């Protein structure tokens, strides 16, 4: 622990479309230590998935990392050729996607798809790889893996397909696993199974995890550190406790307030965030959240705020935290009373 | 505002069944049935919101669609405002179509992309001869205004709107005919968290202002708890538990409800760390050949011999709290 595995520095990713340059990620910096589970939370269009695709080198035309560095084990991934990236992908960094039906190949058996990954990256023959594949399926909790290894994806249920995806991703024991909305397409009871599996495998195989989701409940369960993204920028970063109990950015507070609490029994009215997310073709000059923020000041519209470190490991980009900012009574949305 | 008598029952469902045929043999002979909804009964009071929760394939959407006869029920009765509508013909149904409307899950697929927003909303006004000419226009503007859009939006097409705005258009369309009962089939699951709250608040306001009755179908249990007065939990075509929403979360009696509730991730790191999860094994069995007896028994940690032999009856364990499970004492009265 404590050793840095991934270090993203001022990464900017854009999509050059016919309507103009969509600035999906507009300068994002963060690090990930070995064995850590980092959560990236945000709504659709916040840039969370593009961030992960940029790290994986999976951006397709017209998308491009236009600036910044991505250090993985002290090597800059943005400088790697696509061949070198192919050796890293699947072996050292693996990814699980949201929709297990479209990310598995329907014309190959599950076993073949795991074997493919193992043979590609490890010095084993197909026979050994098959044994390994069966072991992996057993590890992720597929019943009678000796038989199931020869099934096609359509013969698996949604939850089992996601388990198979995890088996493929972990077959080469990667150092980093990026899970992009791994449970969004699944039912709650199956989601609980998969999250439990991810937590268990993380400890067993000592894999670092980046979990990307829009579900605050899911990150609270799995992650120790959380990044909140909005409009292509990191709004707030801190430990799970800091982000949930002492949020400092109005967007984080807004998110926490807009979800109903299952464990609070009195009937509360939801407090939605008014308005809609910004257009990233013409991102606002100032803070991306300024148009929806209840505390907007003049400067918020003109200039994007820098990060203020509330604590050494807790930062947020908000003008309210600036030392010259007027004192504002901010309703953080953290209600700890009334909980059973 | 309309007067609401809280005890009056608007819609009552008795032993509702909906089976879908699946042909298996080569010549389509040996028929099998998907028992999507199998013998469920419940009622909804005027002005009330009944939540329906369950995993995909449990029959909650089919229940909703059968209720307003988008599907012809295989068996059972649907009594709307004192009239049994399950036997009515399409023509006889027309006046009831005006009273029952639906909001769909996918705001991208449920709006005709070749019609302007004004025509989408106006279509139901035309069909039911509610308003024409200037009156029609005024009604459309009024409805758009009601759902937080402006009258300029009437001449635009659906693709010009975001998901949340489209859902508002869908709601305006449902409201156009001045319905009494609206089925909300996962109305917020395709929307972002911050937008979900906007739509839910709007649904609550509309309910208050127009005295609407809702059937709210969703798999997001925290939202269902928030909006519903009573909640029914479904599993594989059966209603397993039905009670007041507070009671359901405070005292879940059915093992499936307990597992479902404990599986919800709570946005609070400490609470999540300290909570004991019940992790269900395996997947939902196929509704073509559901397990004998209690359908949940294959995944239930308390399953007994009796569960495989005998289907549990719906029993009323406390006032208005119905559970269908053999763990409940036989002394509790069987619900009628």
């Amino acid at each position: 622990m404590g050793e840095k595995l991934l270090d993203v520095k001022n990464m900017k990713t854009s999509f050059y479309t016919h309507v103009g340059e969509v600035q999906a990620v507009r300068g994002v910096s963060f690090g990930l230590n070995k064995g850590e589970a980092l959560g990236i939370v945000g709504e659709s269009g916040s840039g969370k998935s593009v961030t992960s695709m940029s790290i994986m080198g999976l951006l397709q035309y017209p998308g491009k990392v236009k600036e910044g560095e991505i250090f993985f084990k002290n090597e800059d991934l943005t400088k790697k050729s696509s061949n070198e990236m192919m050796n890293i992908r699947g072996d050292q960094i693996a990814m699980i996607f949201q929709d297990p039906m479209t990310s598995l190949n329907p014309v190959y058996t599950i076993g073949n798809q795991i074997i493919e990954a193992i043979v590609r990256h490890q010095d084993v023959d197909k026979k050994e790889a098959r044994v390994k594949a069966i072991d992996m399926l057993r590890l992720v909790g597929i019943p009678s893996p000796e038989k199931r290894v020869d099934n096609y994806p359509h013969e698996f249920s949604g939850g089992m397909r996601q388990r198979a995806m995890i088996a493929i991703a972990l077959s080469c024991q990667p150092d980093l696993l990026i899970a992009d909305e791994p449970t969004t397409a699944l039912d709650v009871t199956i989601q609980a199974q998969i999250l439990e599996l991810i937590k268990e495998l993380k400890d067993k195989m000592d894999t670092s995890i980046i979990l990307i989701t829009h579900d605050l409940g899911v990150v609270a369960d799995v992650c120790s550190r959380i990044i909140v993204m909005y409009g292509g920028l990191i709004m707030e970063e801190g430990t799970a406790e800091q982000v949930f109990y002492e949020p400092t950015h109005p967007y984080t507070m807004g998110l926490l307030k807009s979800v109903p609490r299952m464990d609070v029994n009195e009937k509360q009215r939801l407090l939605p965030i008014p308005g809609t997310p910004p257009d990233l073709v013409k991102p606002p000059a100032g803070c991306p959240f300024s148009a929806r923020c209840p505390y907007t000041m003049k400067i918020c519209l003109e200039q994007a705020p820098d990060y203020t470190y509330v604590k050494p490991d807790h930062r947020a980009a908000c003008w309210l935290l600036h030392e010259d900012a007027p004192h504002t009574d901010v309703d953080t949305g953290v209600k700890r009373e009334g909980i059973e | 505002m309309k007067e609401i008598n809280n005890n009056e029952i608007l819609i009552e469902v008795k032993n509702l069944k909906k089976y879908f045929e699946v042909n298996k043999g080569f010549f389509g002979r040996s028929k099998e049935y998907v028992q999507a909804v199998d013998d469920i009964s419940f009622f909804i009071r005027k002005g009330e919101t009944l939540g329906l929760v369950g995993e995909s394939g449990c029959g909650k959407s089919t229940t909703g669609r059968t209720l307003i006869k988008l599907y012809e029920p295989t068996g059972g009765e649907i009594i709307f405002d004192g009239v049994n509508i399950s036997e009515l013909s399409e023509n006889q149904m027309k006046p009831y179509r005006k009273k029952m409307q639906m909001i769909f899950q996918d705001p991208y697929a449920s709006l005709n992309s070749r019609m302007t927003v004004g025509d989408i909303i106006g279509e139901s006004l035309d069909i039911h001869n509610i308003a024409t000419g200037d009156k029609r226009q005024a009604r459309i503007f009024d409805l758009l205004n009601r759902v937080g859009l402006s009258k300029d939006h009437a001449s635009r097409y659906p693709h010009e709107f975001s998901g949340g705005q489209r859902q508002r258009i869908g709601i305006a369309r449902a409201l156009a005919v001045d319905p009494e009962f609206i089925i909300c089939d996962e109305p917020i699951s395709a929307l972002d968290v911050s937008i979900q709250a906007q739509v839910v608040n709007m649904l609550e306001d509309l309910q208050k202002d127009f005295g609407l009755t809702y059937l709210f179908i969703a798999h997001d249990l925290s939202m269902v708890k928030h909006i519903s007065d009573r909640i029914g939990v479904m599993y594989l075509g059966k209603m397993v538990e039905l009670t007041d929403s507070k009671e359901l979360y405070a005292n879940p009696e059915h093992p499936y409800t307990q597992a479902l509730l404990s599986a919800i991730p709570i946005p609070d790191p400490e609470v999540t760390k300290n909570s004991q999860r019940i992790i269900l094994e395996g997947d939902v069995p196929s509704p073509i050949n559901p397990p004998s007896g209690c359908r949940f028994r294959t995944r239930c940690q308390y399953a007994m011999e009796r569960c495989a032999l005998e289907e549990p009856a719906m029993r009323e364990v406390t006032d208005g709290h119905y559970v269908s499970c053999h763990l409940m004492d036989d002394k509790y009265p069987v619900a009628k």
Side-chain angles (χ1 to χ4, degrees), chain A residues 81-329:
Chain A
S81 69
S82 61
N83 259 337
E84 287 172 309
M85 276 311 287
M86 268 166 94
N87 287 330
I88 294 172
R89 238 181 351 243
D91 188 29
Q92 296 175 45
I93 311 178
M95 191 159 178
I96 322 171
F97 300 91
Q98 170 174 354
D99 186 352
M101 192 65 230
T102 49
S103 38
L104 289 169
N105 190 332
V107 300
Y108 289 104
T109 62
I110 298 285
N112 267 335
Q113 299 185 50
I114 306 177
I115 292 167
E116 184 194 359
I118 298 174
V119 172
R120 175 81 178 72
H121 296 291
Q122 292 178 10
D123 190 22
V124 291
D125 61 25
K126 276 215 162 159
K127 240 185 177 169
E128 287 171 68
R130 189 182 156 86
V131 176
K132 275 197 165 184
I134 293 171
D135 284 345
M136 282 313 298
L137 287 178
R138 186 173 297 121
L139 185 70
V140 297
I142 301 267
S144 49
E146 301 83 6
K147 279 187 209 146
R148 288 302 203 154
V149 73
D150 293 320
N151 278 169
Y152 287 91
H154 74 266
E155 296 171 277
F156 275 36
S157 70
M160 279 165 63
R161 278 182 215 141
Q162 200 56 291
R163 284 171 192 270
M165 276 295 295
I166 295 173
I168 296 171
L170 295 181
S171 59
C172 295
Q173 286 162 344
D175 301 296
L176 173 61
L177 176 71
I178 301 177
D180 189 355
E181 305 261 12
T183 57
T184 309
L186 307 174
D187 280 314
V188 268
T189 61
I190 309 295
Q191 166 171 287
Q193 291 175 359
I194 297 290
L195 291 179
E196 208 57 36
L197 177 72
I198 289 178
K199 280 195 283 187
E200 192 190 306
L201 293 177
K202 173 186 162 286
D203 295 339
K204 216 185 255 177
M205 307 179 80
D206 196 31
T207 312
S208 310
I209 289 179
I210 296 180
L211 180 76
I212 295 164
T213 177
H214 67 277
D215 190 330
L216 291 163
V218 171
V219 277
D221 188 7
V222 179
C223 301
S224 52
R225 214 151 51 82
I226 293 170
I227 285 175
V228 181
M229 281 190 76
Y230 186 79
L233 293 169
I234 293 178
M235 296 283 103
E236 182 158 6
E237 176 182 357
T239 64
E241 284 75 16
Q242 286 163 348
V243 170
F244 278 101
Y245 303 143
E246 297 151 18
T248 50
H249 198 286
Y251 177 62
T252 315
M253 299 170 195
L255 273 186
L256 291 171
K257 274 186 272 193
S258 63
V259 289
R261 286 286 302 255
M262 286 281 301
D263 46 352
V264 178
N265 235 341
E266 80 245 39
K267 178 111 180 164
Q268 50 328 26
R269 187 160 168 89
L270 297 178
L271 297 163
I273 306 175
T276 46
D279 177 6
L280 293 176
V281 178
K282 283 185 221 101
C287 167
F289 189 57
S290 55
R292 303 172 76 187
C293 180
Y295 311 108
T296 311
M297 301 175 286
K298 200 167 152 242
I299 192 164
C300 302
L301 303 169
E302 292 162 356
Q303 203 181 333
D306 270 333
Y307 291 106
T308 305
Y309 284 83
V310 196
K311 284 197 184 116
D313 54 351
H314 186 186
R315 61 171 173 154
C318 180
W319 282 115
L320 287 177
L321 301 171
H322 193 271
E323 50 189 13
D324 294 338
H327 178 77
T328 319
D329 277 326

Side-chain angles (χ1 to χ4, degrees), chain A residues 42-45 157-160 184 186-193 195-196 199 214-218 220-221 240-241 244-245 251 255-256 258-277 292 336 339-340, chain B residues 54-57 60 162 165 191-198 200-202 204-205 208 219 221-223 225-229 246 249-250 256 259-273 277-284 299:
Chain A
E43 297 176 74
S44 42
S157 70
M160 279 165 63
T184 309
L186 307 174
D187 280 314
V188 268
T189 61
I190 309 295
Q191 166 171 287
Q193 291 175 359
L195 291 179
E196 208 57 36
K199 280 195 283 187
H214 67 277
D215 190 330
L216 291 163
V218 171
D221 188 7
E241 284 75 16
F244 278 101
Y245 303 143
Y251 177 62
L255 273 186
L256 291 171
S258 63
V259 289
R261 286 286 302 255
M262 286 281 301
D263 46 352
V264 178
N265 235 341
E266 80 245 39
K267 178 111 180 164
Q268 50 328 26
R269 187 160 168 89
L270 297 178
L271 297 163
I273 306 175
T276 46
R292 303 172 76 187
R336 304 281 293 149
I339 295 174
E340 290 176 28
Chain B
E55 295 176 271
S56 45
K60 55 191 193 301
S162 67
Q165 286 175 316
L191 307 177
D192 267 321
V193 186
S194 70
I195 310 293
Q196 285 187 354
Q198 293 178 4
V200 164
N201 278 351
M202 194 176 70
E204 286 181 333
D205 290 341
K208 236 185 283 154
H219 65 269
L221 286 105
S222 43
M223 237 0 142
K225 182 200 179 194
H226 175 80
I227 198 167
S228 307
D229 300 305
K246 262 189 200 157
Y249 286 83
Y256 178 63
L260 201 59
L261 290 178
S262 86
I264 305 163
I266 293 168
D268 187 326
E270 253 168 61
V271 174
T272 331
K273 260 169 222 151
R277 281 262 168 87
I278 307 168
I279 306 272
L280 287 182
E281 300 278 316
D283 289 303
V284 183
R299 297 172 81 194

